[in-house]
Amino acid sequence: MTVDRAQSRGDQVSEVLTGAQMLCRLIREQGVEVVFGYPGGAIMPMYHALPEYPRLRHVLVRHEQAAAHAADGYARASGRPGICLATSGPGATNLVTGLATAQLDSSPVVAITGQVPRAMIGRDAFQETDIIGITLPITKHSLSVEDISELPEKVREAFAIATRGRPGPVLIDIPKDVQTQRAAWRPAVVPAAARPDASPVPTALGDDIGTAVRLIAQAERPLLLLGRGVILSGAYAEVRALAEKTGMPVITTLLGISAIPESHPLHLGMPGMHGEVHVNRAIQQADLLVGIGLRFDDRVTGNTAGFAPRARIIHVDLDASEIGKNVSVEVALVGDAGAVTRRLLGAVAPRGCDPWWAEIDTYRRERHQQYRGDMAPETILSAIRAASGPGCTIVSDVGQHQMWVAKHYSYEEPNSHMTSGGLGTMGFAVPAAMGVHFARPGRPVWAISGDGGFQMNMQEIATMVQEGLPVKMAVFNNGYLGMVRQWQQFFHGRRYSATPIWSPDFVKLAEAYGIAGYRVEYAREIEEAVARAVREPGPALVEFIIEQEANVFPMIPPGGSLSEPIEAAPAGAPAA
Amino acid sequence: MSTPVPAWTIAAVLDDDLIVVERVIGGIRRRHVPIGDLAMGPARGHGVLRLTCSTHSDWPATQRLANQLRRIVGVQAVSVHAAGDCLTREQALVRVRATPSRLGTLLDTLALYEAVVIEEQFAALVVQVTGTAPFLCTCLRALEPFGVLDVARGGAVVLSPGDATTGGAAPAARPAASAPFLSPDAIIALSPESR
């Protein structure tokens, strides 16, 4: 028995725990069964306690950045907080990119960092960094635990802040000697799951709902734009019902993908920098945008001065600070996407948009691109979709493949697409996919990367092998940092500065890690390789050798408006 | 800081917690809003601070900043005041040269600005003066001919006139025993027309 019990007055027995033991209990209290981390000096008491809590599985990553991404993937897939552990100093600073990624995409990650003992703080001790100061701008909140007496309250507060309202990452910094302090354990008075929300979500005012309903009724060219807020709220049925009741074409942002099935007849596509021409043109011609749970970021709007010039905007968002931040809105409905959409749904009259749909159909155009070996991205993605089934989760990295995955994969299940949309973090996919696996055991998950991003965190194959995680990895290998190369081709006179990138033999790399690896060079080989990877009981890697200078079309030039798509490579450059 | 007349003043009531303060300051820095004054001190109630910040930014940018501050955990309330629509005061300590030959003139000048001598030093006085930012600037200009040796300004603080709350959520002012330098109580005691 490693947990002390001490008898207090009379028959009352209180359990005395160390700070580290309390931490383990507090994590379990949240219903979380896995933590991702890497041990080190200042977090050793926590690691000493972990084996006493076998229901709390620890996944040893190979770099703390991967721990943060894995926690992020777990949080996105489960809706519960994802937890990463790191020691002080470099362990903590290695979390930074993962926390910033979670902050930009509103993901409830809780980072627990060890800190040097209290007596050493401020003396530039070995592996001492001001991790709270470093992460202030990239976390929703930070807490420093000064004494074990405040540990339970602060940890519970951290989880509450991370998950309530608009979710976001929270960092808890705990000095090593606080982890070894002992105190009586006080269970939560109310179980965490049942505790009332400390910050009730504001709801939209009736007048605003009325105005929104009137605008929807009057609009001739309305559009429904869905962002990540819909997924965070789980408002799939509500937005679908609103679309079906009004006939409004539905556009999903990069982080809103899978908020409505791709095959739904009202789904139009993705807007913005790499959105299809007919989607962006619809936005430019629209007289009303109903935006739910999106922040109208620059990758969606292009130059805001030219964005949706004819449209009035109804903006539904949980975070009042998003209203009017990037675009001016006619009606602001601050509240949970599901709750507000339900009110809208109850108030709008059924209508159709047939003439508007007919007009949008005239904007559509076919695009034909030739690829080496017929290795078209859509062919590869269709094969992955067919072999993995509708319950598969796709986690994409950042770059050209990210846009292909967003545009060409057929998402039918809610929340089945994940990517680093806000920060655009290369190296996200592989570790985040590990986290997704823990949230959705038994369901397939693919990490799809480019050759650049894959090499940023490919060391996590070792984690997958050690932990037995059946994550499937696809690498789109074009020998370039493709998206940067595309920009160099279009906007920098085709000067490919530092974008050609050498890669190791990925099949041999897979072999070295003891997993199955396949290389596909021709379209005829795709199905077989993907099917074999899916059949593998453990992790598997498929490398797709794709057209070196393939481009993502269309493209809105940086600073351009949605009305200025680039649909072909500059003269003299390869057409693909 | 302190020279241009600000267009807007943002007042935030926040937890007395250095992490929260650092987040607020970081939030102001990050939004690239030009800042005039920045003042902070105890507000009503234990463990509560009031941070006041003036800006000559435009209204949308000011609103965006206020909205960003509102979402910081530990920020209890944020209000935005237009210049002239709020009670605003700033306090300054000025060390001014006081030669025997010009002492009388100096005291007359100080009287004009209702400045209070709080310490007499050899060949110098330390005076306390309170007023709006333009008023303080005028006072300092008037003292320049005597020789201003040092200036410490506290930054402007504001309250809504005739309102028991700030922005509907901030606590009302009360006599502050521990922080007379930034006390809202001192501001309320002055009528807007008194300067």
Side-chain angles (χ1 to χ4, degrees), chain A residues 211-262:
Chain A
T211 308
V213 167
R214 197 180 69 248
L215 289 176
I216 291 172
Q218 292 170 346
E220 293 178 359
R221 294 180 175 85
L223 291 173
L224 188 55
L225 274 70
L226 308 181
R228 177 154 162 74
V230 174
I231 290 171
L232 286 168
S233 165
Y236 311 108
E238 289 88 345
V239 295
R240 181 175 176 157
L242 181 64
E244 289 172 351
K245 192 170 182 183
T246 58
M248 284 192 280
V250 181
I251 291 171
T252 45
T253 68
L254 179 62
L255 290 178
I257 287 172
S258 75
I260 190 168
E262 297 278 318

Side-chain angles (χ1 to χ4, degrees), chain A residues 103 130 132-133 135-137 139-144 157 161 164 166 319-326, chain B residues 15 17-24 26-27 29-31 60 63-64 66-74:
Chain A
Q103 169 82 344
D130 174 16
I132 285 189
T135 57
L136 275 176
T139 50
K140 185 178 177 186
H141 196 54
S142 334
L143 295 156
S144 174
E157 183 187 358
I161 290 171
R164 79 185 177 209
R166 181 177 180 174
D319 183 351
S321 73
E322 291 297 346
I323 307 292
K325 187 174 83 176
N326 295 326
Chain B
D15 295 352
D17 177 344
L18 278 178
I19 291 179
V20 176
V21 172
E22 200 171 345
R23 275 187 184 281
V24 169
R29 174 191 55 75
R30 210 187 137 224
R31 300 296 158 180
Q63 269 295 90
R64 276 200 299 275
N67 285 336
Q68 292 297 331
L69 297 183
R70 284 187 185 105
R71 67 198 286 251
I72 294 173
V73 176

Side-chain angles (χ1 to χ4, degrees), chain B residues 17-57:
Chain B
D17 177 344
L18 278 178
I19 291 179
V20 176
V21 172
E22 200 171 345
R23 275 187 184 281
V24 169
I25 299 295
I28 293 170
R29 174 191 55 75
R30 210 187 137 224
R31 300 296 158 180
H32 288 278
V33 172
I35 295 301
D37 289 316
L38 196 61
M40 191 173 63
R44 180 188 174 195
H46 177 69
V48 181
L49 298 177
R50 178 188 296 272
L51 183 142
T52 309
C53 143
S54 60
T55 172
H56 22 92
S57 181

Side-chain angles (χ1 to χ4, degrees), chain A residues 518-539:
Chain A
Y518 310 94
R519 179 177 296 113
V520 178
E521 297 191 47
Y522 299 96
R524 61 178 180 274
E525 304 163 352
I526 294 175
E527 279 187 27
E528 172 65 14
V530 169
R532 290 175 68 181
V534 169
R535 282 198 300 269
E536 282 291 328

